[in-house]
């Protein structure tokens, strides 16, 4: 069994925000507060300690009240850089990552991911949840930046990125891994909706305001 205190939560807010015009995505407003803060507050009740991964405006992120760590790799190296940073500073057996731009993730995310890890005897669990495609149709898709990772994976990930690896699925397939499906009728179709552009952020804001 994995207890909530065994899991460190990490909000990933270290991207370039290129599809938002280069703005710091985690500081864009959602429901009256920064996206990253909203994600942090949604994650904190589910886990033990929490931290943030950010590469700009570190003083602002530090005001959220948890440790803030910049990428341990240079050049905005993507989600794996966030994973590596989180594992580097993780003090619990497990690390749970969530992106700052999917602010409606399930309130039982950590619990169900932990159950999947135990059931599958996996050291990596990735979420798979309902998400609307461009045509509006909703299907269950892997959400690889929602990841539960065992702390012992740090040396493996260090080696992988040092050898030039950059794809999450290529690395995860090297280890016992599992998908945690969030596809029950009770799951919100917006749970894993992400805001890559300001237009998508405004749409998500409007959709959640109607719920």
């Amino acid at each position: 069994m994995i207890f909530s205190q065994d899991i460190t939560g990490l909000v990933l807010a270290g991207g370039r925000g290129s599809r938002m015009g280069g703005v710091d995505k985690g500081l864009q407003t959602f429901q009256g507060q920064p996206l990253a803060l909203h994600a942090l507050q949604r994650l904190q009740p589910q886990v033990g300690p929490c931290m943030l991964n950010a590469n700009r405006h570190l003083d602002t992120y530090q005001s959220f009240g948890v440790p803030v760590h910049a990428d341990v790799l240079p050049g905005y190296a993507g989600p794996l850089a966030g994973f590596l940073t989180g594992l580097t500073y993780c003090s619990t057996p497990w690390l749970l990552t969530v992106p700052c731009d999917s602010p409606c993730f399930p309130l039982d995310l950590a619990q169900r991911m932990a159950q999947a890890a135990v059931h599958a005897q996996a050291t990596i669990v990735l979420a798979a949840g309902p998400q609307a495609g461009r045509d509006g149709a909703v299907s269950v898709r892997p959400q690889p930046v929602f990841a539960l990772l065992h702390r012992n994976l740090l040396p493996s990930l260090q080696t992988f990125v040092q050898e030039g690896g950059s794809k999450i699925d290529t690395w995860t397939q090297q280890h016992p891994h599992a998908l945690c499906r969030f596809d029950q009728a009770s799951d919100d179709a917006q749970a894993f909706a992400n805001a890559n552009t300001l237009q998508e952020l405004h749409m998500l804001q409007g959709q959640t305001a109607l719920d």
Side-chain angles (χ1 to χ4, degrees), residues 1-7 46-48 94 114:
M1 185 173 182
I2 301 172
F3 297 97
S4 61
Q5 293 299 314
D6 295 329
I7 304 171
Q46 304 189 41
V47 298
W94 294 89

Side-chain angles (χ1 to χ4, degrees), residues 61-148:
Y61 283 111
Q62 286 167 352
S63 72
F64 296 171
V66 298
V68 179
H69 302 291
D71 284 349
V72 295
L73 297 176
Y76 293 88
L80 279 183
F83 288 8
L84 183 59
T85 302
L87 288 171
T88 298
Y89 292 100
C90 184
S91 60
T92 60
W94 294 89
L95 176 75
L96 177 62
T97 67
V98 301
C100 67
D101 62 356
S102 295
C104 303
F105 59 84
L107 296 172
D108 59 353
L109 176 74
Q111 178 185 5
R112 289 167 66 173
M113 297 277 276
Q115 290 172 345
V118 172
H119 179 75
Q121 295 185 325
T123 56
I124 300 174
V125 177
L126 304 180
Q131 186 172 349
R134 293 183 179 180
D135 59 357
V138 176
S139 60
V140 176
R141 304 179 184 183
Q143 311 290 333
V145 286
F146 288 91
L148 181 67

Side-chain angles (χ1 to χ4, degrees), residues 185-202:
S186 60
D187 287 325
D188 185 356
Q190 298 299 324
F192 294 96
N194 66 319
N196 282 311
T197 66
L198 288 173
Q199 181 182 13
E200 289 175 348
L201 178 58
H202 295 153

